[in-house]
Amino acid sequence: MANYIKLRARLMRDDDIAFGPGKAQLLDAIESTGSISAAARELGMSYRRAWLLVDTMNRCFREPLVHSAPGGKHGGGAEVTEAGRRIRQRYREMEQALRDLADDFEKSLENELN
Amino acid sequence: MANYIKLRARLMRDDDIAFGPGKAQLLDAIESTGSISAAARELGMSYRRAWLLVDTMNRCFREPLVHSAPGGKHGGGAEVTEAGRRIRQRYREMEQALRDLADDFEKSLENELN
DNA sequence: CACCGCTATATCCTGCCGTGCATAACGAAA
DNA sequence: TTTCGTTATGCACGGCAGGATATAGCGGTG
């Protein structure tokens, strides 16, 4: 039996999601593959979706988190900027702190379950 | 501009959601109205959905969180059990602790936004 | 200078979640 | 014993998020 607390923390800017778990994961994939399309393939999502996530991130923050360019060798590509890495790290730190806290509560709720 | 961190914590039991923010709110509404259907109306959700949420809760936990009965005066009704109140309170405490923690991180992320 | 893989964007299509609706059973009260 | 509002459950419809597909433009490299 897999009993656990599923957490989700999203940084909202008005009505759109500036940052969240999916976007953090996407930054990882872009960093390791060097392109949005390869990252999308790696994560099993459509290029459309990946591009929309990147676009939303870049629009929400002061500095872009991903720098991308068409053309060039093997067709340009994309890279995670300094700001991107910084924001991702802050987010991950928050995620970890939330996780630790949730785990403290987990047992007291879990032992009420079947 | 409404910038904030949206949090969601769900207690999972295998594949179904044993408890979460919607179920906590539903318990409140059942407590104040005395029936599942009135609670659903109050929250603007379908009776079907409300009933499914109650059913999932009751199946996941050792003791039922809601006791319900058909028939009777004005058609039976439903009430939140002692276990229901206890679990809801534990959950709310966790939610509050997570909220406080997230607020600490909020500013360091928020001031990167537009 | 043609090729290639990528970015960028629009349009169509689909699967899923939840609502709406319909129905049956229940049991206290009048 | 009739009435009434509820519990309990199934089924068909609709909205919408995301996938699939199509197309155009870009610019190093061979």
Side-chain angles (χ1 to χ4, degrees):
Chain A
M1 23 187 147
N3 299 335
Y4 63 104
I5 289 172
K6 184 180 281 187
L7 273 181
R8 193 177 67 183
R10 285 172 161 176
L11 176 60
M12 307 298 293
R13 195 211 110 180
D14 295 326
D15 273 347
D16 41 26
I17 307 164
F19 210 81
K23 294 191 172 73
Q25 196 181 5
L26 181 59
L27 287 191
D28 291 343
I30 290 173
E31 200 167 47
S32 70
T33 62
S35 83
I36 296 176
S37 60
R41 282 194 295 274
E42 184 172 292
L43 298 181
M45 74 172 67
S46 62
Y47 174 80
R48 170 192 168 77
R49 175 158 175 71
W51 184 85
L52 285 173
L53 293 178
V54 167
D55 184 57
T56 302
M57 275 191 282
N58 285 347
R59 280 187 301 96
C60 285
F61 288 92
R62 294 175 170 278
E63 309 170 65
L65 315 205
V66 172
H67 173 260
S68 58
K73 66 176 172 186
H74 296 291
E79 59 175 5
V80 178
T81 65
E82 176 55 35
R85 287 192 292 273
R86 181 175 65 246
I87 289 160
R88 178 183 55 184
Q89 193 194 340
R90 296 238 179 94
Y91 177 79
R92 287 263 162 79
E93 287 165 2
M94 180 179 69
E95 251 189 344
Q96 186 58 50
L98 291 171
R99 166 58 44 204
D100 290 345
L101 209 159
D103 286 346
D104 291 344
F105 283 90
E106 186 170 2
K107 277 182 287 298
S108 81
L109 282 166
E110 189 178 81
N111 61 16
E112 303 259 14
L113 290 172
N114 276 326
Chain B
M1 21 185 148
N3 299 336
Y4 63 104
I5 290 171
K6 184 181 280 187
L7 274 181
R8 194 178 67 183
R10 285 171 161 177
L11 175 60
M12 306 298 294
R13 195 211 108 181
D14 296 325
D15 273 348
D16 41 27
I17 307 164
F19 210 81
K23 294 191 172 71
Q25 196 182 6
L26 182 58
L27 288 191
D28 291 343
I30 290 173
E31 200 168 47
S32 70
T33 62
S35 84
I36 297 177
S37 60
R41 282 195 296 272
E42 184 172 291
L43 297 180
M45 72 172 69
S46 61
Y47 172 78
R48 172 187 172 75
R49 175 159 173 72
W51 184 85
L52 284 174
L53 293 177
V54 168
D55 183 56
T56 302
M57 276 191 281
N58 285 347
R59 279 188 301 97
C60 285
F61 289 92
R62 295 175 169 278
E63 309 170 66
L65 315 204
V66 172
H67 173 261
S68 58
K73 67 175 171 187
H74 296 291
E79 59 175 4
V80 178
T81 66
E82 176 55 36
R85 287 192 292 273
R86 182 175 63 245
I87 289 160
R88 179 184 54 185
Q89 193 193 341
R90 296 238 179 96
Y91 177 79
R92 286 265 163 80
E93 288 165 3
M94 179 179 70
E95 251 188 345
Q96 186 57 51
L98 292 171
R99 165 58 42 206
D100 291 344
L101 209 160
D103 286 346
D104 291 344
F105 282 91
E106 186 169 1
K107 277 183 287 299
S108 80
L109 282 166
E110 188 177 83
N111 61 16
E112 304 258 13
L113 291 171
N114 275 326

